[in-house]
Amino acid sequence: MHANCYTYKMKVKKLEILIFIGAIIVLVAAIINPINNFFIRSSFLASLIILWIQLTKYFWKYKRISYSIVILPIIIVVWLFVPSKTTIDKNELASLYLKHLTSYEGVKYLWGGEGRAGIDCSGLPRKAYREALFNYGFKNLNPRALKLSIEQWWFDTSAHALSQGYRGFTTPVGLTGKLKDMNYSQLEAGDIAVTKSGVHALVYAGNSQWIQADPGSHKVVTLNPKIDANAWFRTPISIHRWSQLD
C-alpha cells in the first residue's frame, strides 16, 4: 500500500516537473516569437499562471516566500487596473516612441511580425508605441502607461483598425491625400499614415522622413517622399495619431 502511494506521488511530482518545464519553454517561445496573435498571447498568459501556481506549491512550506508569491502579483494587478488619475507626459512619451521606432531600422519585413526577428507595417508603430508606454510606465512608476501598454499588446490592431480608431487607440488628424504632395506643417513626429485600402501603414519620423516596414524593400526603411521613390508615397492615405500623443 505504501509502495503504491509512493509510486503515485513520484508520478505526480514528475508530471508537475514536466508541466513546469513545459511552461518555461512556452513562455520563452512566446517572448522570442516575432508573431503576435491570440494563440501566442494566450499561451504566454497560461504559462505565467502555471509557473505562478507551481512556484506557490514548491515554496508553500516557506510561508514568507509563498505569501510573497501569492500576494505580490495580486498587488501589482490591483495597482495596474484600479482607476488612476496619473497623467502621462506627452513629450517624454513621444520621444521614447520615436527612439523605439528608429531602433527597428533595417529589421526584415515579416507579415504578422512584431519583433526584432521580423515586423510588418502595423506591427512597427504598435510595438514601438507599446515599448515606449512600458518604458515610460516602468521609469515613472505610472500604472496608466503600463496598463495601456498591456491593453495595446492584448488587443492586436491592424493597419485598417488603426485608421478606424479601434478601442480609442488612435484619433484622426484630419489630413488626407498623398504623402509626396502633402504639407507636413500640421504633422507631428509619430503620426501614422494609413492607406485608404487599410493594407499599409507608415509613421512620420520628422524632417519629412517616413519610417515603414516596407514589403517591397523587405525591411524597415526611412525615406523622404520628396526625393525617394516608393509606391506608398503615391497612394491615398489618411493621417492618425496615438490618442496619448494627441
Side-chain angles (χ1 to χ4, degrees):
M1 186 69 178
H2 291 293
N4 290 337
C5 183
Y6 175 78
T7 302
Y8 173 76
K9 288 182 177 179
M10 289 301 296
K11 288 182 178 179
V12 170
K13 189 172 183 179
K14 288 180 180 179
L15 179 60
E16 289 179 345
I17 292 173
L18 288 174
I19 292 173
F20 183 78
I21 294 173
I24 292 176
I25 293 173
V26 171
L27 187 66
V28 172
I31 291 173
I32 65 176
N33 192 323
I35 304 298
N36 180 19
N37 56 39
F38 180 76
F39 175 76
I40 298 296
R41 294 191 297 270
S42 300
S43 299
F44 178 84
L45 288 180
S47 298
L48 284 180
I49 293 171
I50 290 171
L51 289 174
W52 180 51
I53 293 172
Q54 292 297 325
L55 286 172
T56 302
K57 291 178 65 177
Y58 181 80
F59 288 106
W60 191 249
K61 58 183 178 180
Y62 306 102
K63 294 303 181 182
R64 290 185 179 180
I65 299 176
S66 62
Y67 290 162
S68 299
I69 293 173
V70 171
I71 295 173
L72 186 59
I74 296 174
I75 293 174
I76 292 174
V77 169
V78 171
W79 178 67
L80 285 175
F81 291 96
V82 167
S84 172
K85 295 182 180 180
T86 55
T87 59
I88 297 175
D89 187 305
K90 169 186 168 181
N91 293 328
E92 184 179 351
L93 180 61
S95 178
L96 285 170
Y97 175 40
L98 288 173
K99 179 180 177 181
H100 285 288
L101 270 172
T102 55
S103 73
Y104 282 90
E105 183 82 31
V107 170
K108 73 175 182 179
Y109 177 88
L110 175 66
W111 187 83
E114 205 174 84
R116 302 285 170 181
I119 200 163
D120 69 7
C121 68
S122 60
L124 176 62
R126 282 199 315 266
K127 187 64 181 291
Y129 183 58
R130 185 187 315 146
E131 290 176 334
L133 282 167
F134 182 84
N135 288 354
Y136 178 91
F138 186 79
K139 175 185 176 182
N140 297 285
L141 293 179
N142 187 306
R144 185 181 176 196
L146 291 171
K147 178 185 175 182
L148 288 170
S149 178
I150 294 171
E151 182 182 6
Q152 209 272 344
W153 168 73
W154 183 255
F155 294 100
D156 197 21
T157 318
S158 65
H160 177 70
L162 287 173
S163 70
Q164 299 299 306
Y166 175 64
R167 296 188 62 84
F169 288 155
T170 59
T171 57
V173 173
L175 295 175
T176 59
K178 298 179 181 180
L179 293 180
K180 70 181 186 66
D181 302 321
M182 186 172 290
N183 184 342
Y184 296 165
S185 61
Q186 297 182 51
L187 293 183
E188 293 183 7
D191 284 350
I192 306 167
V194 182
T195 60
K196 289 294 185 180
S197 61
V199 300
H200 192 64
L202 311 88
V203 186
Y204 186 52
N207 298 319
S208 300
Q209 303 282 321
W210 291 84
I211 185 170
Q212 60 173 315
D214 184 17
S217 303
H218 308 293
K219 61 181 179 180
V220 177
V221 295
T222 301
L223 301 171
N224 186 332
K226 307 299 182 181
I227 58 177
D228 296 313
N230 187 278
W232 302 112
F233 295 154
R234 301 187 301 275
T235 304
I237 55 87
S238 57
I239 303 294
H240 307 268
R241 185 173 295 156
W242 292 112
S243 296
Q244 299 303 318
L245 299 180
D246 195 10

